[in-house]
Amino acid sequence: MKILITGGSGLVGSAIKEIVHFENEDYKKKSLKNENEYVFISSKDCNLTDIDITRDYFSKCKPDAVIHLAAYVGGLFRNMSEKIKMYEINTQINYNVLKVCDELNINRVLSCLSTCIFPDKTTYPIDETMLHNGPPHFSNDGYAYSKRMLEVHSRMYYENKNRLYNCIIPTNIYGKYDNFDLEDAHVIPALVHKCYLAKKNDEDFVVKGSGKPLRQFIYNLDLAKLILKVLFNYNDKEPIILSVSEEDEVSIGDVARTIAKWFKYEERIKFDCDSADGQFKKTADNKKLMTLFPDTEFTSIDKGIATTVEWFNITPDYLIRK
Ligand code: GFB
């Protein structure tokens, strides 16, 4: 099978690349043939907001399946300030990818959503059946409504054209290869970068918000393995949540303290309570995942953050936008 991965140079795409690279090496050692070929593309290879360019690229590539990860993303603060871009760019990309895949008779598309697109006012834990049960949190409604339509669009192809188009719903993702931008990044890479600078400049390590909100973080390499399992083994119409358990939910404050611990800079943490907290929590249920794939294991947040900090410290500045 030839598998095309959009968003191939991002946080999750890079993790899939690492996983399949090791799998390929393993196959070589065992003198077996790996039957799958993976093609990773970024916006430099193909502008997915343009349907003609997308059609041209996909028709030349001729994939059997697509893992659709490409998206215009960012942390809470980018989501609040760039709602229109979040909605428009993601809607263009998602429409073009599904439309072109159908036109070219590509029968398998697995697309990536996020637990931040679930309703804000809800009961917990949230499960796959609750996606459209009410408005998302106001802080990221541009992104959320666009992603919800990706789920709707995929389901329509499944129902009317028998296409195996379905979606995964991961929780907050972190790890190596992330965007470490100080303003626009997600919380873990932003705080890794901030803690590094605070220590370097002998300043306070300032964490935005109260530190009280709760999140379930999934390490990108764990997610990459799960995505491949889902691609080959999950054929249902409904999306599937990819998450650690409810017990592994942690506060932003604890995450900040763990980051500071790995930098040996715990004494100077300060919480900037004038900054937004975002959604208090979006606790997701991983029952469906654990029933289908009971051998799933997760990297602890402590180990995952340690690896991320280590990667940040050894990676050249230009790759992580220091
Ligand atoms: O990663 P983050 O932006 O994702 O985390 P969300 C936001 C939480 O971390 C808030 C706190 O409680 C912030 O107050 N925080 C503390 C920081 N310091 C920082 C910082 O320097 N940068 C950031 N970004 N946060 C996003 C959604 O929400 O979740 C997206 O807006 C997305 O749509 C993603 O899909 C998974 O969980 O709040």
Side-chain angles (χ1 to χ4, degrees):
M1 247 179 126
K2 187 172 189 181
I3 300 151
L4 177 68
I5 294 104
T6 72
S9 64
L11 173 65
V12 184
S14 303
I16 297 179
K17 202 182 279 176
E18 184 174 318
I19 297 293
V20 300
H21 175 74
F22 282 125
E23 272 177 13
N24 282 337
E25 291 301 306
D26 207 34
Y27 270 104
K28 271 189 225 154
K29 271 188 238 144
K30 291 177 187 157
S31 306
L32 294 169
K33 195 174 172 300
N34 187 346
E35 66 266 30
N36 297 319
E37 180 192 346
Y38 295 87
V39 180
F40 294 86
I41 58 165
S42 72
S43 54
K44 292 194 188 90
D45 306 297
C46 174
N47 175 5
L48 296 171
T49 64
D50 183 315
I51 195 159
D52 295 322
I53 295 174
T54 306
R55 187 181 295 110
D56 189 52
Y57 189 94
F58 280 44
S59 61
K60 284 184 184 129
C61 177
K62 295 190 175 49
D64 302 293
V66 173
I67 301 175
H68 176 39
L69 305 173
Y72 186 65
V73 295
L76 168 66
F77 299 97
R78 175 180 269 181
N79 268 279
M80 289 197 300
S81 64
E82 296 185 26
K83 289 185 177 200
I84 299 164
K85 261 174 119 174
M86 285 285 165
Y87 182 78
E88 290 182 352
I89 296 178
N90 287 312
T91 303
Q92 278 176 321
I93 290 176
N94 298 336
Y95 177 85
N96 291 346
V97 168
L98 290 198
K99 187 84 188 150
V100 161
C101 285
D102 176 58
E103 279 175 19
L104 299 174
N105 212 15
I106 299 164
N107 207 42
R108 178 74 178 112
V109 182
L110 180 64
S111 299
C112 191
L113 312 177
S114 165
T115 50
C116 68
I117 75 171
F118 275 110
D120 180 35
K121 304 225 176 331
T122 183
T123 53
Y124 298 101
I126 306 168
D127 70 33
E128 289 84 353
T129 64
M130 298 154 81
L131 187 56
H132 301 283
N133 285 359
H137 193 261
F138 72 93
S139 64
N140 68 345
D141 48 5
Y143 181 81
Y145 278 119
S146 177
K147 284 281 185 179
R148 283 189 188 186
M149 287 309 110
L150 174 57
E151 190 277 328
V152 169
H153 200 185
S154 302
R155 187 153 36 88
M156 287 171 174
Y157 276 115
Y158 193 109
E159 288 172 353
N160 279 7
K161 299 197 77 175
N162 233 357
R163 298 276 186 216
L164 184 39
Y165 293 0
N166 58 14
C167 300
I168 51 166
I169 314 182
T171 49
N172 290 57
I173 312 160
Y174 74 104
K176 302 186 278 182
Y177 316 114
D178 212 340
N179 167 15
F180 288 81
D181 189 89
L182 291 168
E183 304 305 324
D184 294 334
H186 287 104
V187 59
I188 291 184
L191 291 185
V192 166
H193 195 168
K194 284 177 185 176
C195 192
Y196 160 85
L197 289 177
K199 186 172 179 182
K200 189 172 149 195
N201 301 328
D202 191 21
E203 291 166 348
D204 287 340
F205 168 35
V206 181
V207 179
K208 289 186 177 176
S210 65
K212 290 184 183 148
L214 302 170
R215 298 288 184 266
Q216 287 156 299
F217 287 97
I218 185 164
Y219 187 54
N220 63 344
L221 290 174
D222 297 342
L223 179 63
K225 288 179 201 159
L226 282 177
I227 289 176
L228 294 171
K229 272 191 198 171
V230 169
L231 179 76
F232 297 118
N233 302 295
Y234 182 73
N235 299 337
D236 288 3
K237 181 167 61 171
E238 290 77 28
I240 178 168
I241 290 173
L242 305 182
S243 169
V244 299
S245 71
E246 288 166 63
E247 293 74 49
D248 289 326
E249 192 169 49
V250 291
S251 73
I252 298 297
D254 283 343
V255 163
R257 282 183 278 276
T258 307
I259 291 169
K261 179 184 82 175
W262 289 114
F263 276 103
K264 297 192 174 54
Y265 205 61
E266 286 158 284
E267 298 75 31
R268 304 278 300 267
I269 300 184
K270 295 272 170 333
F271 291 92
D272 166 16
C273 292
D274 293 334
S275 270
D277 263 346
Q279 207 165 0
F280 178 64
K281 65 177 190 172
K282 35 200 172 185
T283 318
D285 189 340
N286 73 355
K287 207 179 290 143
K288 184 171 182 174
L289 169 69
M290 296 313 287
T291 306
L292 286 169
F293 306 111
D295 58 341
T296 300
E297 286 177 3
F298 295 102
T299 304
S300 71
I301 185 87
D302 191 53
K303 187 162 176 234
I305 288 180
T307 314
T308 307
V309 169
E310 199 185 335
W311 186 85
F312 178 88
N313 281 331
I314 61 167
T315 302
D317 287 8
Y318 73 93
L319 284 176
I320 48 181
R321 294 175 242 171
K322 264 189 199 176

